[in-house]
Amino acid sequence: MEGFAALYIFMLAAFTGYEVISRVPVILHTPLMSGSNFVHGVVLVGAMVALGQAQTPLEQAIGFIAVFLGAANAAGGYVVTERMLAMFRSKKGTK
Amino acid sequence: MNAKILINTSYFVVALLFILGLKGMSSPVTARRGIIWSGVGMALATLVTFAWPGMGNYALMVSALTIGGGLSWWSGKVVRMTDMPQMVALYNGMGGGAAAAIAAIELAKGETHVPVVAALATLGGLIGTLSFSGSLVAFAKLQGIMRKAFRLPAQNAMNMILAALTILSGTGIVASSPATTLQILIFFALALALGAVITMPIGGADMPVVISLFNALTGLAVGFEGYVLNNPALIIAGIVVGSAGTLLTQLMARAMNRPLTNILFKPITGEAKTGGPGIAGRLKEVSSLDAASMLLYAQKVIIVPGYGMAVGQAQHKVKEMSELLEEAGVKVKFAIHPVAGRMPGHMNVLLAEAGVSYDRIFDLEEINEEFAQTDVALVIGANDVVNPAARTEKASPIYGMPILNADHAHNVIVIKRGKGAGYSGIENALFYADNTRMLYGSAQQVVSEVIKHIKELMA
């Protein structure tokens, strides 16, 4: 990717993040923090590529840690967010 | 070549799913759909990455994925709802650690990078490491492994020196690309220490803001490493979370009327209380029977839950009590301070879990005027968020933070685990007020007793 194209992506993504959550009610602050925590779990993908291209044992070791941590971020983030939001669903039914 | 097209197309879809998912999560109606869309995105991203050309180490990759993902999935499933905040901190720290590890590999490869790439890799590594050690400290504090706010002598000076050293060593890495292993080691060690040292003195009411800040930082680190790896999925997801998290952090800091710089560099401590005028009055204890009758014969009760309710696992009992009172014709409302508990919305989540209906739950702005017409304000394990010193006492470290005006109610009952100052170490004048009665004990046990007495009185 060209340097400048990436810069534009940076800028647009920053505005997108800001706009996407600008109208969030207080009751969703915790689930949303948890949900965004899940989304940056995509670091897992980067970790997989880094490990996949690792050559030396040291790189492999660090890559293994990276994938381990990234997978933990993604899996835990999903489960916790899902559990929080599941409570909102049951609420909707009775209201 | 075809694999590349498949991957790029998939990443495009993934980015779209993430953004739509976050958008969905910002409204209660679509929130659940939002996390599922994001989940589908994550699964797609992970699967398609296996097709990345020129990769090896698949055995290592799969085992790391299974162990890390499996352990974390399991811990997320079994953790109690009340412990959610520290789990978010923990998972967030792991994400930061992953970003830092990617940076470490890229730097350790010993290739010469273009300055921009080297700089972004280093910066992402720094931010990710900060978030990693900082989040782990936050986790340890909330989990109760690390009890007290811990201050080094000359804390701010230490922070500055450590930060300067870290930046210096980071600059060294960028300037001398490829950097030596020793340089890289020193850099990450400094960054680790910095994250821990910054977080250790922060306690109590400030923790939610700090977790949110680290969440945003991890996003940013992921975005930077995405640039280094040339991976648009990482860039978009990382930066979107970085900016959304920053906004969320600002919303919280504003709710507490404490600029972020104060939270990080002027942690709330009890020290200031010695400067201000002493608190007049004394603590007046009340029995659970008296409390039960005060509540039962009130017309209107506002319940103010705080961290103590979460610790005591009392949310179900509190809901049972509120239903009993309503059966008896008492108007019951819940007042939630934006930063009650250890995360914003923490109390909402707990009350939702217990099945308290939304229309009973009110924000600070919605309900604050009503305290003056309320017979009993029942404060359950909340402290700083009802401390009138925030309104009146300029010397108080929490001066200026909007609080729930529980002290305006005709009577106040405070359920509290023990005497003495709360988590932040600040004395609370509300507890000494003439119209305040203290009910000591763990929230669950005390509320159970109150329920028992209410039932007796109603029979």
Side-chain angles (χ1 to χ4, degrees):
Chain A
M1 205 180 323
E2 289 304 312
F4 263 100
L7 265 185
Y8 283 114
I9 296 183
F10 266 69
M11 178 186 73
L12 293 174
F15 278 107
T16 307
Y18 220 83
E19 285 303 316
V20 151
I21 71 143
S22 55
R23 298 181 152 274
V24 60
V26 178
I27 49 165
L28 282 175
H29 275 180
T30 293
L32 186 73
M33 191 200 298
S34 180
S36 57
N37 177 39
F38 165 67
V39 166
H40 68 52
V42 76
V43 69
L44 167 64
V45 166
M48 287 169 68
V49 175
L51 173 61
Q53 295 170 344
Q55 306 289 337
T56 64
L58 177 68
E59 288 172 25
Q60 286 177 332
I62 307 175
F64 184 85
I65 297 173
V67 175
F68 177 92
L69 292 175
N73 182 180
Y78 183 82
V79 173
V80 166
T81 312
E82 218 277 334
R83 276 183 63 189
M84 284 184 200
L85 292 176
M87 296 175 322
F88 286 89
R89 182 193 52 172
S90 61
K91 209 56 237 154
K92 279 265 91 85
T94 56
K95 201 176 167 180
Chain B
M1 193 60 213
N2 280 336
K4 210 64 205 174
I5 292 171
L6 172 74
I7 290 174
N8 281 330
T9 317
S10 305
Y11 281 176
F12 184 80
V13 178
V14 168
L16 198 63
L17 283 170
F18 280 161
I19 292 171
L20 287 176
L22 280 174
K23 177 91 195 149
M25 276 186 259
S26 57
S27 152
V29 188
T30 52
R32 200 141 181 280
R33 213 181 306 153
I35 181 65
I36 290 170
W37 281 355
S38 309
V40 171
M42 190 69 75
L44 177 62
T46 312
L47 278 180
V48 83
T49 303
F50 277 105
W52 195 282
M55 291 208 308
N57 300 328
Y58 281 108
L60 275 177
M61 201 182 294
V62 172
S63 50
L65 252 172
T66 326
I67 304 171
L71 277 178
S72 186
W73 186 276
W74 169 78
S75 65
K77 279 277 182 214
V78 298
V79 68
R80 284 176 317 195
M81 220 55 216
T82 42
D83 293 339
M84 286 298 178
Q86 53 262 49
M87 294 316 280
V88 174
L90 182 64
Y91 299 141
N92 175 57
M94 291 179 150
I102 293 174
I105 296 181
E106 289 303 315
L107 294 172
K109 271 185 180 162
E111 292 163 7
T112 314
H113 292 292
V114 216
V116 186
V117 174
L120 281 181
T122 314
L123 197 55
L126 168 63
I127 299 171
T129 313
L130 277 183
S131 171
F132 175 70
S133 61
S135 298
L136 289 190
V137 170
F139 168 78
K141 288 196 147 201
L142 294 179
Q143 188 73 18
I145 302 170
M146 202 183 275
R147 279 243 168 252
K148 273 279 144 198
F150 176 84
R151 273 181 83 79
L152 293 172
Q155 176 82 43
N156 287 345
M158 290 293 286
N159 285 355
M160 294 305 282
I161 293 170
L162 205 50
L165 284 176
T166 316
I167 291 168
L168 202 67
S169 84
T171 319
I173 290 180
V174 179
S176 65
S177 171
T180 63
T181 315
L182 183 67
Q183 270 183 305
I184 297 169
L185 270 179
I186 291 175
F187 169 68
F188 279 105
L190 282 170
L192 269 178
L194 183 61
V197 166
I198 288 178
T199 320
M200 274 192 297
I202 301 171
D206 286 341
M207 210 40 115
V209 185
V210 175
I211 296 177
S212 173
L213 178 67
F214 284 136
N215 186 40
L217 285 181
T218 303
L220 209 57
V222 171
F224 287 166
E225 297 312 320
Y227 184 89
V228 174
L229 295 171
N230 231 334
N231 190 320
L234 258 68
I235 298 182
I236 293 173
I239 299 298
V240 165
V241 169
S243 79
T246 307
L247 175 59
L248 203 55
T249 311
Q250 282 173 347
L251 290 176
M252 284 177 225
R254 204 174 302 152
M256 298 171 66
N257 203 8
R258 269 166 66 70
L260 206 53
T261 46
N262 282 14
I263 291 173
L264 291 177
F265 301 116
K266 291 184 198 150
I268 290 180
T269 59
E271 289 157 24
K273 74 172 180 245
T274 51
I279 293 168
R282 55 188 189 84
L283 296 166
K284 295 162 288 290
E285 213 170 321
V286 68
S287 71
S288 52
L289 176 62
D290 288 340
S293 48
M294 278 169 83
L295 290 169
L296 188 57
Y297 299 115
Q299 303 227 311
K300 185 168 170 192
V301 171
I302 297 182
I303 299 177
V304 182
Y307 190 55
M309 184 183 83
V311 171
Q313 299 277 319
Q315 64 272 29
H316 296 280
K317 289 288 172 195
V318 170
K319 192 231 176 190
E320 192 186 338
M321 181 181 71
S322 73
E323 281 178 343
L324 272 175
L325 290 173
E326 287 191 342
E327 261 176 54
V330 184
K331 244 197 192 161
V332 182
K333 291 185 174 180
F334 288 84
I336 312 266
H337 190 276
V339 295
R342 291 293 177 267
M343 284 172 97
H346 190 187
M347 293 300 126
N348 302 85
V349 169
L350 291 182
L351 292 175
E353 184 206 11
V356 174
S357 139
Y358 282 147
D359 46 19
R360 297 268 183 282
I361 301 178
F362 298 89
D363 290 345
L364 185 129
E365 295 85 14
E366 294 172 327
I367 204 162
N368 238 357
E369 299 297 314
E370 289 187 34
F371 278 104
Q373 297 96 46
T374 300
D375 300 301
V376 182
L378 177 62
V379 178
I380 305 179
N383 192 342
D384 294 338
V385 297
V386 290
N387 192 342
R391 272 200 314 259
T392 55
E393 214 171 294
K394 285 217 167 64
S396 172
I398 58 168
Y399 178 73
M401 177 172 103
I403 58 156
L404 287 164
N405 297 330
D407 54 328
H408 289 179
H410 304 161
N411 294 287
V412 182
I413 300 175
V414 178
I415 297 179
K416 199 164 173 296
R417 254 191 305 182
K419 292 172 185 148
Y423 197 89
S424 65
I426 305 168
E427 282 289 351
N428 192 336
L430 173 69
F431 300 164
Y432 295 86
D434 288 337
N435 58 344
T436 301
R437 297 289 176 273
M438 305 299 291
L439 189 49
Y440 293 111
S442 100
Q444 187 176 19
Q445 174 213 339
V446 169
V447 176
S448 303
E449 281 171 26
V450 171
I451 289 174
K452 200 182 83 196
H453 291 307
I454 292 178
K455 281 181 178 159
E456 286 166 9
L457 290 169
M458 282 169 76

